Amino acid sequence: MEACLREVLTRSKADYAEIRWEEIFRSRVVFQREQLLALEATEERGGIVRALVDGAWGLAVFTDLDELSKKIEEATCLARTAARHVRDKVFLAEVEPVEDHYHGQMVRDIRGIPLEEKRKLVQNYNKIVLESHPAIVASSVRYADSLRRVVYANSEGTYIEQEVPDVTLMLAAVARKNGDVQQGFESLGFAGGFEKALGHEEKARAAAKRAVDLLSAKPVKGGRYTVILDPDLAGVFIHEAFGHICEADFLLRNEPMRRVMELGKRFGVETLNVVDDGFIPGARGNCPYDDEGVPRRRVYLIREGVLTGLLHSRATAKKLGAKPTGNARAVSWEHEPIVRMRNTFIEPGSYTFEEMLEGIEYGIYACGAFGGQTEFEQFTFSAAYGYEIVNGKIGEMVRDVVLTGNVFQTLRSIEMIGKDFQLRGSAGGCGKGGQWPLPITTGAPHVRIRDVIVGGR
Ligand SMILES: [Zn+2]
């Protein structure tokens, strides 16, 4: 493979060319109520060629390696045509050529596990969800795994083979009482083999229990409160509300936001550190090399409260005078790489949870992320559930906890950062520019924020 790709690239007449060839194994099992909705394994292979001529890209997608030479010519031809019309020329920041092989670790290779064994596991989780309480009326348990094998080569001499395994599990329960319907769920995701999907019986019970508990929880009273986000919700907040606006391709298209996101500007307290990293053992967002063959770098987006970094592809790095960070990622071989997050998290601080509760007369402990929306700097997030905080103690469970605000104001209002920490890969993934679901993780400790607008439904 290596010799063949290198040979084709040396013959290329483009200023720069790259080939990404992928072989992807996937399987999934889905149970809903008692029903098995999906039980399947698929394999696909395909590649993409990018050629750069006079500052313009040409792309060609293919499924047969024998077509490679022809496809490079095609992409080069397209790039040449595009170059005549493109006003915003592309230039690539320099990177050292790399040669490497990387294999993600699987104790039990997902390709070697019979579908029947996967079905049994998922059926058992489903049974636990359904049978854990009489009020549970429905369930949805989804298992998915994949192994993405990527061979990447470019005309500068880089050649990388990577194997990235991925396993996710979604455990969801629906409870009903007197016409009231509530949901509970646990969403898990790992870089690893089948072993990662085992042993989550407690999570299945927790999902069901939460749905049942929410039936007797009272709706939250709307208002402005001091709020403690649990690590799940704080992690989703930092990814959705802040991480996406650190993506340099977005900033290059959004001049007003680019002026706001000025390096060196203070965004929060001195104990606030926000990181995006392409390698943390076992984390779903791992990509030791991105889909432009750039080695991952740990990027401090915020260091000691100050904006110190952005996320880059080679092209955005060149435009903004930065170093490439290894954030150009594609969801699969049919897509070109765009600037994406990897493992994005708030670093732990120094407070215990008890210390964080102290001094709060009335506040909200918001837990789990049920979904959210962001529109530039405005965000709206629904917590999966929550609790009142009364006189420094956790009180009754509340539901319909929706947080809204301005991301910059909210970052400035962070008062305390916990010393606990949790990095979480959930089922599904990040979506952007029609590419979904990209494996990522989000992480944080508990975070206390003053003056947050909490709305009931
Ligand atoms: Zn995202």
Side-chain angles (χ1 to χ4, degrees):
M1 175 82 91
E2 181 170 355
C4 151
L5 298 193
R6 284 192 188 279
E7 203 268 320
V8 173
L9 283 166
T10 43
R11 280 192 281 120
S12 158
K13 292 188 186 69
D15 302 337
Y16 166 88
E18 65 180 16
I19 303 162
R20 176 159 45 91
W21 174 256
E22 300 190 14
E23 292 168 5
I24 310 174
F25 168 92
R26 284 194 185 92
S27 80
R28 65 185 196 116
V29 186
V30 179
F31 269 91
Q32 228 167 64
R33 297 199 166 91
E34 265 97 20
Q35 247 188 323
L36 176 63
L37 284 195
L39 179 69
E40 61 194 24
T42 55
E43 274 177 77
E44 62 175 60
R45 45 183 55 199
I48 186 167
V49 170
R50 281 205 306 178
L52 191 63
V53 179
D54 195 17
W57 285 119
L59 265 72
V61 168
F62 59 102
T63 52
D64 185 351
L65 272 173
D66 291 340
E67 292 184 329
L68 188 51
S69 302
K70 202 178 84 198
K71 289 293 168 179
I72 290 216
E73 270 175 45
E74 212 176 287
T76 308
C77 207
L78 285 169
R80 202 169 286 132
T81 310
R84 280 185 239 128
H85 306 284
V86 165
R87 253 188 274 151
D88 194 15
K89 300 243 179 212
V90 174
F91 298 97
L92 302 179
E94 274 181 38
V95 287
E96 286 289 311
V98 197
E99 280 185 58
D100 202 2
H101 289 68
Y102 170 80
H103 297 283
Q105 297 217 315
M106 286 188 285
V107 178
R108 298 185 66 192
D109 192 320
I110 51 171
R111 293 167 299 184
I113 310 293
L115 266 182
E116 190 53 18
E117 194 174 336
K118 294 176 184 175
R119 178 192 63 77
K120 273 188 197 149
L121 177 78
V122 179
Q123 189 164 19
N124 184 50
Y125 288 144
N126 187 55
K127 190 165 179 275
I128 293 172
V129 172
L130 278 175
E131 292 177 359
S132 55
H133 195 280
I136 299 292
V137 291
S139 65
S140 170
V141 177
R142 298 164 176 271
Y143 164 92
D145 61 26
S146 67
L147 182 68
R148 180 174 173 241
R149 181 166 173 266
V150 186
V151 181
Y152 174 91
N154 70 28
S155 55
E156 296 168 346
T158 289
Y159 181 89
I160 299 160
E161 289 186 15
Q162 288 191 89
E163 242 180 32
V164 186
D166 187 58
V167 173
T168 66
L169 195 58
M170 177 63 149
L171 306 152
V174 177
R176 189 165 64 202
K177 193 174 75 183
N178 306 330
D180 184 18
V181 175
Q182 292 294 328
Q183 292 185 57
F185 67 93
E186 288 286 334
S187 180
L188 312 163
F190 310 91
F194 186 63
E195 72 281 357
K196 299 286 188 187
L198 305 174
H200 301 298
E201 290 77 9
E202 271 318 305
K203 294 279 185 194
R205 275 185 273 275
K209 182 175 186 307
R210 191 158 317 121
V212 173
D213 288 350
L214 279 168
L215 288 172
S216 43
K218 57 184 181 187
V220 73
K221 246 190 309 165
R224 272 175 183 272
Y225 306 111
T226 294
V227 168
I228 298 178
L229 306 184
D230 82 340
D232 262 5
L233 187 53
V236 170
F237 164 76
I238 209 65
H239 170 104
E240 292 293 347
F242 185 69
H244 278 293
I245 56 177
C246 293
E247 293 167 344
D249 56 346
F250 164 75
L251 292 176
L252 283 165
R253 287 191 306 266
N254 190 309
E255 184 59 32
M257 198 58 114
R258 198 161 104 209
R259 282 196 295 270
V260 176
M261 296 294 283
E262 203 183 306
L263 295 182
K265 207 172 184 176
R266 176 160 293 280
F267 278 76
V269 287
E270 269 184 14
T271 49
L272 179 64
N273 294 294
V274 179
V275 172
D276 181 86
D277 198 338
F279 190 80
I280 288 161
R284 245 201 119 197
N286 284 351
C287 58
Y289 296 94
D290 73 3
D291 291 315
E292 292 185 323
V294 176
R296 63 101 187 181
R297 268 204 305 125
R298 168 170 278 218
V299 182
Y300 272 86
L301 300 171
I302 293 180
R303 187 169 228 152
E304 295 176 358
V306 172
L307 187 72
T308 50
L310 298 171
L311 305 175
H312 287 288
S313 64
R314 289 183 68 179
T316 67
K318 184 72 181 178
K319 274 222 163 79
L320 294 178
K323 273 209 301 193
T325 51
N327 284 85
R329 304 179 67 194
V331 81
S332 75
W333 57 273
E334 291 157 289
H335 300 276
E336 63 179 325
I338 54 176
V339 180
R340 307 297 297 262
M341 279 172 269
R342 302 163 303 188
N343 305 299
T344 313
F345 56 91
I346 301 174
E347 283 188 337
S350 56
Y351 292 97
T352 64
F353 186 57
E354 288 66 35
E355 286 167 338
M356 296 175 85
L357 287 169
E358 266 170 38
I360 301 179
E361 222 170 277
Y362 186 87
I364 299 296
Y365 178 32
C367 303
F370 199 63
Q373 281 181 335
T374 56
E375 177 85 32
F376 300 108
E377 48 200 274
Q378 295 299 321
F379 66 84
T380 302
F381 288 117
S382 301
Y385 57 103
Y387 298 91
E388 289 180 320
I389 303 170
V390 185
N391 296 324
K393 294 217 157 49
I394 294 291
E396 282 183 61
M397 193 182 204
V398 287
R399 67 192 202 202
D400 307 335
V401 179
V402 178
L403 312 175
T404 56
N406 173 293
V407 59
F408 301 118
Q409 218 169 331
T410 306
L411 287 172
R412 279 194 300 270
S413 304
I414 292 178
E415 291 181 325
M416 291 173 156
I417 298 172
K419 61 161 129 190
D420 52 354
F421 179 76
Q422 180 194 285
L423 190 71
R424 151 113 71 189
S426 43
C430 177
K432 177 181 172 182
Q435 297 195 41
W436 181 90
L438 188 79
I440 51 115
T441 67
T442 58
H446 279 92
V447 175
R448 173 169 150 175
I449 311 170
R450 65 174 173 270
D451 214 20
V452 178
I453 302 168
V454 178
R457 192 176 286 163

